[in-house]
């Protein structure tokens, strides 16, 4: 039997209540992830997670939402596969661990915890819009810059 | 933007070292899951998990492996999306919770823990080959019987 | 600096809504755990967990409650140290894993998941009152029998 | 039956490989926690975790170690109760969640993830030695300053 060709997995993290400009950028980033044939991993809820998933779906991508509770109805409408963890904030670890690369849009404590775990696991972390000036996070401001920093990983 | 049409998710659980006859049945069950357009959720490792995933891939299905550790290379070759949890045995809870329905082939303590959690979460649990005679588990012996008990859930 | 003398840890699991006779036995078992100088580990909530903790406290023991949510106010009044996990049912894995020995009074799916994980981790599991006739569980009916089966572990 | 008087729980987090000066301060902080009658919660391993636990034990305190794996032998020698989680980095969430107050000595990504989760859960977080200049973290430099910032919580 032929093995499946496992696609790259990219986690997108960020605020559940971002400003509109960031939502637009998250949609573009989600679209880009679909375009390069990668699977979008996210926390499955609203804000950046929903914007990125909608962008990915618009380009025919595959979207995975790693939910903090047991109820799949909490997933945003652009999630193809809902992973119900029931783990609360500990689901953040799974989001970070399941991405081969983590793209961090501005967020708050939850997003910071995901960045920390991703760095701990030696994942490439790309920070968007001068957020998270933690050592080891590569900074970008827009989709063009994302395309450039992604080159070594494609 | 148009919402995605989230597909049914079916978890297949069972031994990582089953006998050959069960492997054959697991392949058939995986194929059936793909055939009805559902997503296969499993623990991502060998034995029943691998057999079911290979059957699903053979029929063009989508397979999700919820791994106990952080290393995606532990996933069997038929897993499309590897969810790296690093949670050890606690990843069993996620396998059970992420299936809308749980199909339990013979296994041991790990499989039993998944059945227990699935029942706790009020999931339909289908037991294969007179295994797991726990109250609330519907018993079947072959693919034909599986097709029949699945009718109300399609 | 002198190392601490880490005491044996015994997990007591069982229904959150047991019948009165079992509550009485759980109090006795909790008292016995304190008496032999062991630490009581439990899920921290009501029923068997509360009865065992109250029995342990009556004898001056130490009680640890591993809670499914983040709110310590959910702990029963006989818990000395509340471990807030926020992990939902996955906290069951921690209860089983933190006991050097697991004593299982009658319960339902949650308790069964704990027994399964304890057996998976090769812990001695003692089943009370002909419950959980799973291979590998040693059966007892009362405190006297518990005292006897505990001898090799003291 | 009389309820137990649940003591305050203080989590101490920080590097597993700190410099000697910080070890000394961690011992003092652990001693202080015991002195005020609080329970020390930590990750149970070496470095800051071990120093704080040794300080607490020296003053007759109670120490809880929340371990990332299933093996209690990984606990440092000053841990009274070892909670074996098997959860890998997700155990950080439990350390943060189980403290009523979190004291963060300098550390790296793991420690940062714990600070983030503590802030997310609205816990008071006290940062030691100008580390973690995250909004919401109260900064101190030594034990005297710790005593002062702790006053409102006693």
């Amino acid at each position: 039997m032929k093995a499946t060709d496992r696609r790259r997995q990219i986690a997108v993290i960020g605020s559940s209540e971002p400003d509109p400009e960031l939502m637009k950028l998250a949609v573009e980033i989600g679209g880009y992830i679909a375009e390069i044939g990668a699977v979008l991993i996210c926390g499955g809820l609203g804000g950046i997670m929903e914007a990125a998933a909608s962008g990915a779906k618009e380009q025919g991508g595959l979207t995975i939402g790693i939910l903090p509770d047991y109820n799949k109805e909490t997933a945003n409408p652009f999630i193809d596969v809902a992973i119900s963890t029931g783990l609360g904030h500990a689901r953040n670890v799974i989001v970070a661990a399941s991405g081969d690369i983590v793209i961090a849009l501005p967020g708050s404590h939850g997003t910071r915890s995901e960045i920390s775990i991703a760095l701990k696991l030696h994942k490439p972390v790309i920070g968007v819009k001068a957020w998270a000036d933690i050592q080891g996070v590569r900074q970008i401001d827009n989709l063009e810059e994302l395309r450039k920093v992604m080159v070594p990983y494609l």
Side-chain angles (χ1 to χ4, degrees), chain A:
Chain A
M1 231 165 288
K2 216 180 115 283
T4 183
D5 195 16
R6 195 140 49 73
R7 291 147 71 186
R8 196 172 302 278
Q9 299 178 189
I10 301 181
V12 175
I13 61 179
S15 174
S16 55
E17 295 176 334
D19 68 40
E21 187 198 6
L22 285 172
M23 289 291 276
K24 193 165 158 293
L25 183 53
V27 172
E28 289 175 6
I29 290 173
Y32 165 75
I33 288 169
E35 199 186 281
I36 62 171
V39 176
L40 172 75
I41 307 284
C42 71
L45 302 179
I48 293 296
M49 299 170 261
E50 180 163 349
S54 78
K57 287 315 298 173
E58 225 176 339
Q59 302 301 322
L62 177 64
T63 58
I64 313 289
I66 310 212
L67 300 171
D69 63 25
Y70 292 121
N71 178 8
K72 286 181 192 163
E73 302 312 308
T74 60
N76 73 58
F78 305 103
I79 293 300
D80 288 317
V81 180
I83 303 300
S84 306
T85 71
L87 296 175
H89 301 306
R91 79 81 146 80
N92 291 5
V93 173
I94 306 179
V95 173
S98 295
D100 299 310
I101 294 166
V102 175
I103 301 176
L105 284 102
S108 186
H109 304 308
T111 309
R112 277 180 192 279
S113 78
E114 291 167 319
I115 293 172
S116 299
I117 294 296
L119 292 170
K120 180 88 183 179
L121 292 170
H122 308 292
K123 309 270 180 187
V125 180
I126 299 167
V128 179
K129 294 277 178 196
W131 135 265
D133 55 344
I134 296 165
Q135 208 185 352
V137 177
R138 179 93 184 250
Q139 299 298 334
I140 63 159
D141 272 331
N142 53 47
L143 187 63
E144 278 323 292
E145 289 178 21
L146 176 61
R147 286 183 192 279
K148 277 179 205 149
V149 301
M150 285 292 293
V151 169
Y153 306 120
L154 299 182

